[in-house]
Amino acid sequence: MEGEVYYPSQDSIAKSYVQDWEALAESARKDLQGFWAERADELFWFKKWDKVLDDSQKPFFKWFTGAKVNIAYNCVDVHLQTYRKNKLALIWESEDGKSDRTFSYYSLNREVCRMANIIKAMGVEKGDRVTIYMGRIPEIMFAMLACAKIGAIHSVVFGGFSVDALHERISDSESKLIITCDGSLQNGKLVELKRIVDESLRHCPTVENVIVVKRTGHEVPMEAGRDHWFHDLCALPIANGKCTTEVMDAEDPLFILYTSGSTGKPKAILHTHGGYMVGTYTTLKYVFDINDEDRFWCTADPGWITGHSYLVYGPLLTGATIFMFEGGPAFPYPNRWWQLIERFGVSVFYTAPTAIRALMRFGEAWPNKHDLSSLRLLGSVGEPINPEAWKWFHRVIGKERCPIMDTWWQTETGMFMITPTPVVPLKPGSGTRPFFGQEAEILDEQGNPVADDHEGYLVLKNPWPAMMRTLYKDPDRYVETYWKKYPGKYMTGDSARRDKDGYFWIIGRVDDVIKVSGHRLGTAEIESALITHPAVAESAAIGLPHEVKGQAIYCFVHLKPGFAPTEDLSEELRQHVARHLGPIARPEEVNFIDKLPKTRSGKIMRRVLKARAQGLPEGDLSTLEE
Ligand code: 7RM
């Protein structure tokens, strides 16, 4: 093999579900539906499917049609009939370290049922949307599972988003109910989530009720008739620990999750009960070799797809013990994560390159202070991992014993698409090859495959069970965005290259999506936030390489007459974006510009701004307006 290769140890091969990767890949290639049917058979169905894959209306693919199922039943109820009843489902640690809470599968079930009964009592019915906006606390998991259990569609909004982003997602989803908490803690600082909800709810006529979980205990205004403390509701007779599971069609919606694309309006990615369940279960099991002894820690927030698939649903489907931590990596000290791995005996640790790079900077002494011998496997997600960070993670955290699973996937794919398993030889920075049943290609503008080692558009050729089904309320945009450019192939929006060993190397997005510290944001959303400021006539946002964040946001603003380009105004505009869209979207810099480069048809040429900012050649300027 070419380049630097890390071969799997005999030990990781011996422990792996998939000992012969090539053989399983070959069987899935020959019989895609048979491969997925066999995996689906390991889960519980109220009624089995008539058809594994229905592609008669592609690209609106359907999986396991005719089947009756509920993902929440597979996450919780099925385990109660086994020895797992008393096993820990969830261990949670607060940011301040003052409290940890644990839930067995038995008590998880009681929590989910209680929440489900309360949601039902609020008038929420099958198919209704519920927006969930809270910090990383156990109740966010209960709320998601409770919605799934009664057939409501959850829409989780990341707690790092603010008023405008939340408002748009609540009103677009036409949610009846909001589940939130009073506040959350971020590096010791209070984020007033309930206050943000209150502001967002002006002009959201569909919302009837707001359930508020008490987390921080600070004073919050409660609107009579609309807002209810969760603990008060829990005291009511309806809030008992038993609730029947709604029997769903495999293709019934499970959740929508808003994600950024090329326009200002975020897309509501829709996932379903059956296929999403089979996809997340299978990928987590095979890629992280999850077994009963594992303590699995995914550092993602439930507000992103990684949190949905691999903090909540996937691990519960495999019956693992989940570790969930409220805080971030370096608070109060840069050893926080390593200390938690030691204290809770975490065996599989799944995080993002940006966190690894940030922690690397504090030096090896911090992790070396801790016994990390419980670790068996490591994982990376969200953006390309640079080889330097990969090697540090491998050597300093994994002690050269733990393979790193670099998993490439998207909100849209629902599950890992390009990823190794523990028996696959690794190359730092590459996600290796497509998962079983998948084929990927690198194409040029015209749709022809490019030669090895050449950059092009990454596309996926086969359908997979956890694929999004559509964009909620916007099926045309679904077809347009993902299936139009190369008919019959799924367009990922990423550029990549494939090497001579068939390994894929992701380069980055080809559209106006930026990954800031692994968080997916759209330049258009940032521009929409800027334009609401009275001084801004026009603006452009771009992503530029950043040593720790991967990419950082840079904005160029053309001011309205009468406003002076000062340092203070620049700072005010950064704050403005943070206040409206969320602290995660705070620009690195806001610069003032007399004239934005535009095409003759008036489109901002972000590529030119990007090149200029980096001192690179500006490329073809023939379409630039005079
Ligand atoms: C899981 C997630 C999707 C975009 C995707 C890529 C980038 C994600 C990797 C990666 C290189 C990886 N969903 N991306 N994982 N790039 N290596 N392992 O992040 O919808 O929020 O973002 O993230 O550009 O298109 S997402």
Side-chain angles (χ1 to χ4, degrees):
M1 285 179 90
E2 259 182 10
E4 203 174 352
V5 183
Y6 289 65
Y7 289 93
S9 68
Q10 282 314 312
D11 187 50
S12 57
I13 296 175
K15 283 197 186 120
S16 182
Y17 284 110
V18 185
Q19 310 227 332
D20 191 341
W21 190 92
E22 302 291 345
L24 195 60
E26 183 55 24
S27 83
R29 203 171 301 135
K30 282 201 182 118
D31 180 10
L32 180 70
Q33 299 195 29
F35 172 83
W36 285 112
E38 224 175 283
R39 311 282 90 75
D41 257 329
E42 294 174 24
L43 294 153
F44 177 82
W45 304 79
F46 298 111
K47 176 181 170 285
K48 287 264 168 100
W49 50 92
D50 303 324
K51 232 176 157 178
V52 177
L53 170 65
D54 175 355
D55 58 3
S56 58
Q57 288 158 53
K58 59 188 172 205
F60 298 95
F61 294 90
K62 292 189 180 122
W63 285 83
F64 307 107
T65 48
K68 299 283 183 193
V69 71
N70 189 307
I71 193 172
Y73 195 87
N74 277 280
C75 285
V76 186
D77 300 66
V78 291
H79 303 307
L80 305 181
Q81 297 145 29
T82 71
Y83 61 91
R84 286 191 185 133
K85 181 172 157 181
N86 293 316
K87 180 182 169 171
L88 287 185
L90 174 64
I91 304 170
W92 176 83
E93 162 97 0
S94 66
E95 185 189 76
D96 61 14
K98 285 188 190 137
S99 73
D100 52 45
R101 297 163 71 192
T102 55
F103 301 86
S104 64
Y105 274 92
Y106 178 82
S107 46
L108 174 65
N109 179 52
R110 291 189 57 83
E111 296 288 347
V112 172
C113 287
R114 190 165 70 160
M115 186 82 93
N117 285 324
I118 290 171
I119 297 174
K120 270 206 281 197
M122 297 270 148
V124 172
E125 289 169 9
K126 183 174 170 174
D128 286 345
R129 275 80 55 216
V130 174
T131 295
I132 301 173
Y133 179 68
M134 47 207 312
R136 238 169 0 248
I137 55 175
E139 283 76 8
I140 191 167
M141 184 186 276
F142 307 156
M144 290 165 73
L145 291 164
C147 288
K149 193 173 179 80
I150 64 167
I153 303 170
H154 60 69
S155 166
V156 182
V157 179
F158 176 52
F161 276 124
S162 199
V163 184
D164 294 4
L166 179 60
H167 170 83
E168 175 159 39
R169 286 157 175 76
I170 294 171
S171 58
D172 187 76
S173 65
E174 299 167 283
S175 290
K176 256 190 181 171
L177 172 70
I178 313 291
I179 307 177
T180 187
C181 48
D182 48 358
S184 73
L185 292 173
Q186 243 163 57
N187 298 329
K189 275 201 302 236
L190 173 69
V191 182
E192 297 197 52
L193 297 178
K194 172 63 167 61
R195 192 191 49 76
I196 295 172
V197 169
D198 288 339
E199 269 185 62
S200 309
L201 284 187
R202 293 188 202 134
H203 322 294
C204 282
T206 57
V207 175
E208 293 163 5
N209 292 290
V210 179
I211 298 176
V212 189
V213 174
K214 188 171 262 183
R215 164 66 190 98
T216 50
H218 70 286
E219 191 75 38
V220 295
M222 297 288 279
E223 192 179 298
R226 188 195 70 182
D227 302 348
H228 318 269
W229 284 109
F230 180 60
H231 56 263
D232 286 338
L233 298 170
C234 283
L236 300 175
I238 46 115
N240 66 58
K242 275 206 181 113
C243 175
T244 16
T245 306
E246 191 73 29
V247 175
M248 308 294 285
D249 285 339
E251 280 292 309
D252 277 339
L254 167 64
F255 65 82
I256 53 177
L257 182 57
Y258 286 87
T259 195
S260 302
S262 289
T263 72
K265 194 174 177 305
K267 304 177 276 197
I269 307 291
L270 184 128
H271 284 286
T272 58
H273 272 256
Y276 177 79
M277 171 180 85
V278 175
T280 53
Y281 166 77
T282 307
T283 45
L284 186 68
K285 177 175 159 180
Y286 285 158
V287 174
F288 286 120
D289 258 336
I290 295 299
N291 59 59
D292 252 320
E293 287 81 57
D294 277 317
R295 287 191 164 187
F296 181 72
W297 182 8
C298 164
T299 63
D301 192 275
W304 303 99
I305 191 67
T306 306
H308 280 60
S309 299
Y310 300 110
L311 171 60
V312 177
Y313 288 112
L316 292 174
L317 290 167
T318 60
T321 296
I322 294 167
F323 177 66
M324 186 196 235
F325 175 49
E326 184 180 34
F331 183 83
Y333 300 107
N335 65 331
R336 193 63 200 277
W337 277 6
W338 319 129
Q339 183 187 49
L340 291 169
I341 290 174
E342 175 176 16
R343 196 163 121 221
F344 292 102
V346 172
S347 59
V348 181
F349 180 60
Y350 185 36
T351 191
T354 181
I356 300 164
R357 287 191 298 262
L359 291 168
M360 248 170 93
R361 295 190 146 198
F362 294 109
E364 292 174 32
W366 290 103
N368 288 345
K369 220 169 97 125
H370 296 280
D371 174 6
L372 304 178
S373 60
S374 61
L375 289 173
R376 182 170 75 69
L377 265 174
L378 303 172
S380 173
V381 63
E383 44 167 329
I385 180 165
N386 47 313
E388 194 197 355
W390 194 100
K391 287 178 198 168
W392 188 88
F393 199 28
H394 188 255
R395 179 176 58 83
V396 180
I397 306 307
K399 311 291 177 203
E400 295 176 343
R401 278 184 307 107
C402 308
I404 300 174
M405 302 297 108
D406 180 358
T407 61
W408 176 90
W409 60 295
Q410 309 176 303
T411 310
E412 292 87 341
T413 69
M415 65 182 223
F416 307 148
M417 299 309 296
I418 296 178
T419 177
T421 76
V423 302
V424 170
L426 304 173
K427 300 188 191 186
S430 167
T432 76
R433 287 169 289 179
F435 189 71
F436 308 117
Q438 193 48 260
E439 287 172 86
E441 264 185 342
I442 315 277
L443 304 180
D444 66 14
E445 204 58 56
Q446 285 72 41
N448 306 307
V450 305
D452 284 347
D453 294 323
H454 282 70
E455 182 174 349
Y457 297 99
L458 176 69
V459 301
L460 302 173
K461 285 172 71 180
N462 302 332
W464 63 98
M467 66 200 302
M468 80 181 123
R469 294 303 190 263
T470 188
L471 295 178
Y472 181 65
K473 296 203 298 190
D474 206 350
D476 294 343
R477 191 175 172 199
Y478 166 71
V479 179
E480 178 71 35
T481 313
Y482 302 101
W483 301 94
K484 195 82 176 274
K485 191 170 166 93
Y486 304 115
K489 291 171 185 169
Y490 170 78
M491 152 101 168
T492 65
D494 278 10
S495 66
R497 54 194 172 78
R498 181 169 48 196
D499 70 16
K500 298 199 172 53
D501 298 311
Y503 277 38
F504 286 81
W505 300 78
I506 307 295
I507 295 160
R509 300 287 309 188
V510 292
D511 52 11
D512 296 318
V513 168
I514 333 185
K515 290 302 277 296
V516 186
S517 302
H519 300 318
R520 178 165 164 177
L521 296 168
T523 53
E525 291 161 276
I526 299 156
E527 291 160 9
S528 310
L530 277 170
I531 206 79
T532 63
H533 189 281
V536 176
E538 220 177 9
S539 73
I542 56 169
L544 291 178
H546 185 278
E547 238 178 273
V548 174
K549 299 176 181 177
Q551 279 186 299
I553 304 165
Y554 286 79
C555 298
F556 297 87
V557 165
H558 177 65
L559 291 172
K560 282 188 188 155
F563 289 91
T566 62
E567 280 288 314
D568 283 353
L569 182 56
S570 166
E571 180 54 29
E572 188 182 318
L573 291 173
R574 293 177 63 229
Q575 297 300 345
H576 182 83
V577 175
R579 203 164 49 243
H580 284 259
L581 190 54
I584 49 158
R586 189 193 312 272
E588 210 65 16
E589 279 180 22
V590 172
N591 295 305
F592 300 107
I593 191 168
D594 283 338
K595 199 167 179 227
L596 289 166
K598 282 189 196 164
T599 61
R600 271 177 228 116
S601 57
K603 272 175 109 178
I604 295 172
M605 293 176 86
R606 293 193 188 78
R607 138 186 104 69
V608 173
L609 285 170
K610 240 171 146 159
R612 265 181 213 168
Q614 297 178 89
L616 298 169
E618 294 181 12
D620 180 9
L621 295 177
S622 58
T623 57
L624 196 70
E625 84 185 335
E626 292 311 306

